[in-house]
C-alpha cells in the first residue's frame, strides 16, 4: 500500500521529469497507439513519448496494460521503500524536495512541459543564465542521486 501511495504522490517517472521516452517492444506499439498514446518512431526503436498521456491525476490510466518497461521500472526511492530502508514519510519528503527543486527551475524558466527539458532547449539556444543553470544542476543531481541511479527504462 505504501508503495502505491508513494508512486501516486510522485509520478516523476511518467511526467517527463525523469525520462523523455519509454522504449517499446514491437509487439506493444499497436496496443499503445490504440490507447491514443503518442508513439515516437526513432532509429533506436519505437518509444512512448513523455510526459505520458496515460498519466491522469498522478495515476496510470492503463495500469493493468502498461508497457513492459513500465512494469519493470523501479526507481531507487521505490526500491528503498520496498526494502524498508526508508519509511513512507521520509520517501514522500524526498519527492517533495525533488518537486521543490524542479519548481525552482520552473520559476526561473516559465513555460509548459518538464522544466529540465525547457532548460536543455534554453541552453542549446544560449538563453540559460548561470543562475538558472545552477538550479538545473541542483535539480538534476537530486533526481540522479535519489531516483534514477543506474536504472534506465
Ligand atoms: S519515480 Fe519512483 S517513486 Fe516516483 S512514481 Fe516512479 S517508481 Fe514511483
Ligand atoms: S503507461 Fe503508465 S506507467 Fe507507463 S509511462 Fe505512461 S503513465 Fe507511466
Amino acid at each position: 500500500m505504501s508503495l502505491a501511495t508513494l508512486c501516486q504522490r510522485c509520478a516523476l517517472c511518467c511526467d517527463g521529469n525523469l525520462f523523455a521516452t519509454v522504449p517499446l517492444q514491437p509487439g506493444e506499439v499497436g496496443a499503445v497507439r490504440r490507447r491514443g498514446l503518442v508513439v515516437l518512431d526513432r532509429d533506436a526503436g519505437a518509444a512512448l513519448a513523455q510526459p505520458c498521456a496515460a498519466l491522469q491525476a498522478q495515476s496510470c490510466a492503463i495500469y493493468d496494460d502498461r508497457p513492459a518497461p513500465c512494469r519493470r521500472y523501479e526507481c531507487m526511492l521505490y526500491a528503498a521503500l520496498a526494502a524498508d530502508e526508508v519509511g513512507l514519510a521520509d520517501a514522500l519528503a524526498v519527492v517533495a524536495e525533488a518537486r521543490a527543486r524542479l519548481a525552482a527551475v520552473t520559476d526561473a524558466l516559465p513555460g509548459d512541459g518538464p522544466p529540465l527539458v525547457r532548460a536543455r532547449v534554453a541552453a542549446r539556444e544560449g538563453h540559460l543564465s548561470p543562475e538558472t543553470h545552477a538550479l538545473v544542476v541542483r535539480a538534476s543531481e537530486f533526481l540522479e542521486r535519489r531516483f534514477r541511479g543506474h536504472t534506465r527504462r
Side-chain angles (χ1 to χ4, degrees), residues 6 77-78 81 86-96 146-147:
L6 173 65
L77 186 63
Y78 182 103
L81 181 63
V86 64
L88 179 61
D90 287 342
L92 291 174
V94 171
V95 172
R146 302 308 304 263
F147 291 86

Side-chain angles (χ1 to χ4, degrees), residues 57-133:
Q58 300 281 89
S59 290
C60 177
I62 61 166
Y63 190 78
D64 290 341
D65 299 320
R66 65 199 189 286
C70 300
R71 290 179 186 280
R72 280 195 305 269
Y73 182 68
E74 292 178 1
C75 74
M76 292 169 65
L77 186 63
Y78 182 103
L81 181 63
D84 280 332
E85 293 166 5
V86 64
L88 179 61
D90 287 342
L92 291 174
V94 171
V95 172
E97 176 67 23
R99 289 276 172 210
R101 293 185 185 213
L102 290 166
V105 177
T106 296
D107 288 346
L109 209 58
D112 295 326
L116 298 184
V117 173
R118 291 203 306 280
R120 274 196 294 278
V121 173
R124 233 181 2 247
E125 295 174 349
H127 302 310
L128 196 68
S129 70
E131 293 78 14
T132 306
H133 174 72

Side-chain angles (χ1 to χ4, degrees), residues 13-15 22 37 48-50 52-56 59-63 66-67 70-71 153:
C13 62
C14 304
D15 67 3
V22 173
L37 306 180
L48 177 58
Q50 307 280 279
C52 186
L55 183 66
Q56 292 172 15
S59 290
C60 177
I62 61 166
Y63 190 78
R66 65 199 189 286
C70 300
R71 290 179 186 280
R153 266 183 163 169

